[in-house]
Amino acid sequence: MKIYNTLARRKEEFATRDPGTAGIYVCGPTVYGLIHVGNARPYVFFAVLARYLRSIGYDVKLVENITDIDDKIIERANHEGMAPGRLAAAFSRAYVDDTLKFGLERPDVEPKATEHIQEIIDHCRRLVDTGMAYESGGSVYFRVDRFAGYGKLSGQKTGQMKHCELVREGEAKESPLDFAVWKASKPGEPSWESPWGPGRPGWHIECTAMSLKYLGQSFDIHGGGRDLIFPHHENEIAQAEAVSGGGFARGWMHVGMITTKEEKMSKSVGNIFLLREFLKQYDPRVLILFFMGAHYRSPLEFSEVNLEEAAGRLERFKNCFWKVDSVIGETAAAAAPPEGRLLEDSIGLTAQQFEAEMQDDVNTAGALAALFGLVRSINEYAELASAAGSADAGLLGRASDLLRRLLGILGVEITEADYAGKAAPQELLDLVALREQARREKDFAAADAARDRIAAAGYEIRDTPTGPKLVKK
RNA sequence: GGCGACGUGGCCGAGUGGCUAGGCAGAGGUCUGCAAAACCUCGUACAGCGGUUCGAUUCCGCUCGUCGCCUCCA
């Protein structure tokens, strides 16, 4: 399998540290607010990657942190007049709620920064002990110029950075580029005792400490949004490798930005769409299919038409499953089913193409195309079966099972509840009967009125050779 | 100023040194009382200018344009 490694700036053959197992660390949220749809893209993507790797036999450990202590949390808490700890706890819960409602499973480990203060302090101490960091005014700063590899991820050269505003009030740093790994806390701020006095974790050191704790040195993939490359991930590399002498994450994967009006969706721009707001208006799978339609590294425009298109994809899949059930239900086993060679071939080709696309830097857009190929083949066969009055249920079952399984890897689950009208309330079934009666009497106005009432109740009528069927919309 | 990415048919969006992406929308047809769903047919697009090549959308250079990052953004 090939995966694009930001560090190497090219696709590389994916080889894990320990054969058969993959350790993945994804930068999770800093819980100072509700997450928006842009934040959700990496979580969705890495869940897909984890599922795919599992499907080909890897034992995957996916770690996604929750950063529950940070300047912005304190800032927001002060603004709201509540304790930072309470605010962080509330937004942590909101994050978990939102992502669960969205259909994301929990990662294997979901560590919180405040529960790893000891590991963080130990890490800072090692940095100080080796001279890679120094204490100043109760804070601990990383000496950027002592770390030769600084800039290797982002390609930034320290001499050419804009660093006019890098020194904040109250900071006493040896160099403007140095960054805090431990911050002295002001009175009233959350703090933990440390060798340098009361303070709290600094520059995303929790990611460094926790990834090493749960995945060990030289773990396989560290990921997150593109915007984290610099300085976040660059600094993580510095913090980690300054202690170990090398070997932090082997591969770095970065997910492209979600944009609106071609501008990055971000809180500071103010063009965000909260995940929970999205879920009030759309099926979660619409967002997943929207994400899956583009390569994970590409920017993706969040717009009404693009979402409608994603919704159309979901419909096409649902209709296909409906068709399979419907055709199996309506045909008799007695007659000879149509030749199934093409569908048989399509099953093999789809599985093959899906694999090839996923193996090529997780090309979900290509994988989706493969699935639509299978949809077409299934529909074609269903047409023939319907005309012949007989279907090879085993063949259709195998085809739809494959479709279901591969969609599942992408994070889209479609069940009978999505389309089946069998469980429709009796009054709707009565309306269907009423419409049939009206149609027989050529009273089409009455028939259409019945159909409209059924539509208003969230069902659609589809007339088939064996009579009308209700489909849940 | 520095680093990086990108410009594909009406729209979205893969991909490739010569061979079908796919979806949505649209046109025509089949089916239907009309629809819906589905099927069939239909679009020769790769920002511009040079170069390499038998041949470039694909490789190289330049130009134009867009976007991200450059200290606390996913």
Side-chain angles (χ1 to χ4, degrees):
Chain A
M1 178 168 186
K2 291 210 178 329
I3 290 184
Y4 184 89
N5 183 357
T6 308
L7 192 56
R9 290 181 185 67
R10 61 183 168 81
K11 289 182 197 172
E12 290 182 332
E13 190 56 40
F14 181 59
T16 56
R17 178 188 63 197
D18 306 315
T21 73
I24 305 174
Y25 186 92
V26 179
C27 286
T30 298
V31 284
Y32 65 96
L34 296 168
I35 66 160
H36 58 72
V37 296
N39 297 318
R41 172 133 91 147
Y43 308 143
V44 170
F45 173 73
F46 286 104
V48 171
L49 178 61
R51 269 193 302 269
Y52 176 69
L53 290 175
R54 288 190 176 115
S55 81
I56 58 173
Y58 280 93
D59 185 9
V60 177
K61 189 172 183 182
L62 179 65
V63 182
E64 278 179 21
N65 65 292
I66 293 180
T67 295
D68 56 352
I69 176 64
D70 143 286
D71 287 0
K72 283 189 175 165
I73 291 170
I74 295 170
E75 216 172 277
R76 176 86 186 256
N78 287 342
H79 185 74
E80 307 278 333
M82 67 192 286
R86 276 192 53 214
L87 181 108
F91 282 122
S92 291
R93 275 195 302 276
Y95 163 71
V96 170
D97 280 357
D98 286 355
T99 48
L100 282 176
K101 272 196 200 104
F102 184 35
L104 282 169
E105 290 165 21
R106 292 292 101 204
D108 300 299
V109 188
E110 196 164 33
K112 289 184 172 166
T114 54
E115 290 165 8
H116 296 77
I117 299 295
Q118 193 53 53
E119 286 86 343
I120 291 168
I121 290 174
D122 288 347
H123 195 94
C124 291
R125 193 174 5 220
R126 280 193 289 274
L127 286 169
V128 170
D129 288 348
T130 56
M132 296 305 292
Y134 56 94
E135 186 272 338
S136 167
S139 294
V140 177
Y141 296 98
F142 186 87
R143 281 194 174 97
V144 168
D145 62 6
R146 288 251 177 116
F147 183 68
Y150 198 77
K152 68 179 176 180
L153 182 70
S154 61
Q156 304 285 336
K157 294 186 186 70
T158 51
Q160 275 154 334
M161 291 179 193
K162 290 186 188 173
H163 44 69
C164 37
E165 292 170 38
L166 298 189
V167 183
R168 283 149 193 275
E169 207 186 318
E171 283 186 332
K173 303 196 283 189
E174 291 176 3
S175 157
L177 286 171
D178 294 347
F179 57 89
V181 291
W182 184 260
K183 291 183 161 187
S185 51
K186 300 191 192 92
E189 287 180 353
S191 71
W192 289 263
E193 275 310 315
S194 82
W196 315 284
R200 57 191 155 84
W203 179 262
H204 289 283
I205 189 128
E206 77 283 3
C207 288
T208 306
M210 298 191 298
S211 59
L212 290 173
K213 173 174 180 178
Y214 293 104
L215 298 171
Q217 289 285 336
S218 301
F219 61 91
D220 302 302
I221 295 170
H222 193 134
R226 270 203 90 76
D227 52 353
L228 296 185
I229 293 174
F230 192 90
H232 188 148
H233 287 160
E234 194 71 63
N235 288 1
E236 275 195 60
I237 291 175
Q239 289 164 359
E241 298 192 349
V243 161
S244 65
F248 184 41
R250 296 153 60 92
W252 291 83
M253 296 179 80
H254 291 102
V255 178
M257 295 294 106
I258 296 299
T259 60
T260 56
K261 302 223 168 68
E262 303 201 335
E263 195 173 22
K264 175 185 166 185
M265 182 180 290
S266 77
K267 288 167 190 143
S268 51
V269 179
N271 58 349
I272 59 168
F273 203 99
L274 294 178
L275 184 61
R276 58 173 58 177
E277 293 303 317
F278 178 90
L279 294 176
K280 282 182 195 164
Q281 292 176 39
Y282 294 92
D283 187 306
R285 294 168 297 186
V286 168
L287 190 60
I288 293 175
L289 285 167
F290 166 67
F291 289 153
M292 294 299 107
H295 186 91
Y296 75 89
R297 281 187 282 122
S298 305
L300 187 55
E301 174 76 7
F302 184 80
S303 68
E304 189 93 7
V305 284
N306 288 353
L307 290 176
E308 273 168 27
E309 187 177 328
R313 290 185 185 127
L314 181 59
E315 280 305 299
R316 189 152 168 82
F317 285 124
K318 281 188 194 175
N319 286 331
C320 181
F321 287 115
W322 173 80
K323 193 101 181 155
V324 169
D325 282 11
S326 169
V327 110
I328 289 174
E330 79 189 14
T331 53
E339 164 66 38
R341 190 75 254 160
L342 288 175
L343 180 54
E344 195 71 66
D345 289 348
S346 181
I347 291 173
L349 284 171
T350 301
Q352 211 176 2
Q353 194 191 337
F354 184 89
E355 279 304 302
E357 296 288 3
M358 293 298 279
Q359 294 273 324
D360 183 12
D361 198 22
V362 201
N363 188 349
T364 54
L368 260 190
L371 298 190
F372 283 117
L374 183 57
V375 166
R376 172 145 303 193
S377 300
I378 289 172
N379 284 333
E380 277 168 3
Y381 183 83
E383 283 291 300
L384 294 174
S386 191
S390 173
D392 183 340
L395 176 62
L396 275 174
R398 271 183 293 124
S400 63
D401 285 350
L402 177 68
L403 185 61
R404 211 179 291 275
R405 185 172 76 74
L406 299 183
L407 270 173
I409 290 174
L410 298 184
V412 177
E413 308 236 343
I414 292 174
T415 66
E416 218 184 330
D418 282 310
Y419 51 83
K422 282 175 197 157
Q426 188 57 42
E427 62 255 44
L428 290 185
L429 298 176
D430 292 344
L431 276 171
V432 172
L434 191 78
R435 172 173 172 270
E436 283 309 285
Q437 178 67 26
R439 289 176 76 205
R440 271 195 296 277
E441 291 162 5
K442 305 261 188 254
D443 181 358
F444 296 123
D448 291 347
R451 183 166 62 195
D452 289 345
R453 287 177 62 192
I454 289 166
Y459 285 81
E460 183 176 275
I461 289 191
R462 287 182 193 161
D463 291 324
T464 74
T466 51
K469 300 228 162 118
L470 279 180
V471 184
K472 201 171 163 192
K473 295 306 285 181

